[in-house]
Amino acid sequence: MSTQVHATLTDETVRKISDANDEPEWLIETRLDALSALDDLELPHVIQTPGRSWTNLEALDFESLVDPLTAAEEKDLVGDDDVVVTTLAEAASDDEYADIVRENFGSIVDPQENFLTALSTALFSSGTFIYVPEGVDAEDVKIRTEMNSRSLFNYTLVVAEESSTATILERQYSGAELDEDRYYSAVVEVAAGENAHVQYGWLQNLDQDTYNYTLKRGRTDTYATINWIEGNLGSRLTKSAVETTLDGSGSESQIVGAFFGHEDQHFDVNARVWHRNEHTTADLVTRGVLDDEARSVYEGVQDVGRDAWDTSSYQRENTLMLSDESEADASPKLIINNHDTEASHSATVGQVDAEELLYMTSRGIGEKEATDMLVKGFFVPVLDEIAIDEFRDDLESLITARLDE
């Protein structure tokens, strides 16, 4: 492991963060274990093609980027009266919720899964805990994070009990400009109980001096549903994974993603689902647009286990390039270990259709306006899958603003 950020971090650093949050001893020990594991952990997997690694995480100067003791953020947490939306630190020390936090924290994303998950676990600041009790319908949970420091580590834990419903929107922005590169990291765990339904929207619009790593993963119980919506427009480099493990019979997941890169932005986007029980269903839909010298790489995985009888699993990814200098690669993967499966996967990379552009310009529409219309139309299949009006409006506004730049 060539990364040496851990050389500047000590147990004392981690204890200062934990003490500031007045955390219980088990959480301090979990952080310290993650810190001590850094020496032996690798960076996350990235797509390799002959002679090329598409996302060069090894080049990031973590020792310079990571400054946890100066972490600063403006965070808004909003939730209905019947749902708990608070900091992880408060929940972990609360008599009513401490056991729930301890049972679920790190149960879906192993804190020591890779170097960056361990770094996030060791250094996250306040974190967020969302708890939806049995039978509760929580339609308006919002998290808004404004990053105001060199580095920021966030952790979100969602526990939706049996027959509950939750709609959660989490937005990431940059605050005051800094004359230096930044690093933002987030880990999200979602535990959906029997017959629970969770919709999780994530909109990332960090400034283009920021390197961004996020891992969002959910686990479904019987007849549970986890639907993800992810929009990535900001950052210099984003390495993002959205994943669901369909553990329960009859459970479902949809992963809808959109990204729009320009200048020299780089997006490494992953959508993965593991079918681990019978009668499970997954639908993965991603669309991206690249302009200038932006680059993207997509990996989608549908993994159907031996016990996943009567599985339905679908995946499609499309990338539209607006310039000859932009680059994109896609790697959709379908792994089937059960013959009672209905599945498909596809990916395309291409430029604006010349015939469509000619048709529009020949009818008096300027080339720029025609291209913008085609880009907006390209995103429609993704926008149509977004059931949350507020999220769809925000994403459409950011796409329009990007086209107007």
Side-chain angles (χ1 to χ4, degrees), residues 263-274:
E263 298 179 353
D264 62 348
Q265 286 184 283
H266 180 103
F267 293 104
D268 183 324
V269 179
N270 310 139
R272 303 184 180 103
V273 61
W274 291 272

Side-chain angles (χ1 to χ4, degrees), residues 76 137 143 198 203 222 241 302 373:
D76 296 324
D137 186 1
I143 307 169
V198 177
L203 188 57
T222 304
Q302 303 149 272
M373 293 170 68

Side-chain angles (χ1 to χ4, degrees), residues 377-391:
F378 178 77
F379 278 115
V380 165
V382 166
L383 295 170
D384 283 349
E385 297 290 344
I386 301 175
I388 309 169
D389 293 343
E390 184 177 342
F391 188 96

Side-chain angles (χ1 to χ4, degrees), residues 167-182:
T167 300
I168 302 163
L169 298 183
E170 184 159 10
R171 298 173 172 90
Q172 322 292 323
Y173 297 90
S174 298
E177 291 186 7
L178 298 179
D179 189 22
E180 54 190 356
D181 294 336
R182 294 177 167 183

